[in-house]
Amino acid sequence: MARFSLCDVNNAYASFERVFDPSLEGRPIVILSGNDGCAIARSAEAKALGIEMGEPAFKLRRFEKDGLVMLSSNFPLYGDMSARVMAVLATFSPGIEVYSIDEAFLDLSGMPQADMTPWCREVKATVQRWTGVPISVGVGSTKTLAKLANRLAKKSKKADGALDLTADPAWLEPALKRTPVGDVWGIGRQFAAKCGVEGIRTAWDLSQRPDGWIRKAMGAVGLRTVMELRGIPVLDLEVDAGDRKSACVSRTFGESVEDLDSVKDAVAEFAGRAAARLRRDGLLAGAVQAFAMTDRFRKDEPQASIGMTLPLAPASNATPAITSLALSAIERSFRPGYRWRKAGVLLLDLVRPEDVPADLFAPPAPVRSDALMKAIDELSDRMGRGAIGFGLRSEDAAWRARSGNRSPSWTTRWEDLPVVKA
């Protein structure tokens, strides 16, 4: 019998922060976006206060009297803690699909236990003990039902973060009836609203609709979702997600800038980060796009966006080649007289080196660039990102993002390692 588990970190970013700062336990926490602009993650306590996703930081100050803690996003910490959680989960099943930074599907098809609830509790306890991070575990006969079980496990005090919907077939119908149709994995807001008009309120209501109606209203993708709700496995575990087709690094500036040099400064840094990402994944780019835009929320200022895509031949992941092309694109498309608020670099047509199409007319790739990039990457890994690079960029430039409330990078920077005094 096919069985899947969905393991999900509870309030991931807030939980990662609490591992190294126990004083945050029980307090409402909000993680802010770049430049400390708005809420992108909330703890359960913050949700209970009525704080919404995307709410501007300046509006949240009214909750400080309730003990609210606002923290700048610390993605190096979150990425490292996520990797630790996934490494622990991988010890419980040979088949694992890392679905997002805080979620993973496990293949339980070979497990002999009829009731996986004790196993769920063991996984939950082990992750908590080894990483300090709380998770919820749901089991279902399909990936969609595993996702639904995880949601119910979080909300039910009786389940206490662990629920196996395959343990008793009689549990499935009540579980579907307790799940609003808008909370079903793969059902977007637009279709949820349409379901409401049709009298479809719950996942159970949706699962009982005829296939013809589902196919007409939702298409083939929607029919697969409904089949999964009925307990028919359609979605396989994606152990190998395949190579990415593009890579983008973009940031909102700390302050708007008007001069070309400042925009080029930012684009050069973003190009370097994007190139390093390609080298880490073993990919080459066949085209480079650089872009910039004004602040669309400033209705009192003129609005514009600029950008250009240029081919990269031969395909490369070398920082000098990608940066040179990105700077050329932004120079050729730049328009003076505007206040630029965001910029980025998008690498396109990504391929493996062995899959690069032969081109008789393309100039040969510089032989020494591979060795140079390897040396730079090794130094960056050893000494931290930004320890070495191309060109000089001011650390206090106006375009750099603000992050006044960022916690230390406890696990990724030597100088931030916690110190224990005995």
Side-chain angles (χ1 to χ4, degrees), residues 10-32 39-49 51-53 60 63 66-73 78 405 407:
N10 301 340
N11 306 303
Y13 292 175
S15 294
F16 295 153
E17 294 281 0
R18 283 171 169 162
V19 170
F20 297 96
D21 187 355
S23 70
L24 297 175
E25 285 291 344
R27 298 185 64 182
I29 303 171
V30 165
I31 308 300
L32 301 174
I40 60 170
R42 304 156 295 162
S43 67
E45 296 83 359
K47 295 174 186 177
L49 290 176
I51 295 174
E52 301 290 338
M53 286 288 283
L60 299 178
F63 294 106
D66 300 302
L68 176 66
V69 178
M70 291 187 284
L71 297 172
S72 305
S73 51
Y78 308 154
N405 300 311
S407 58

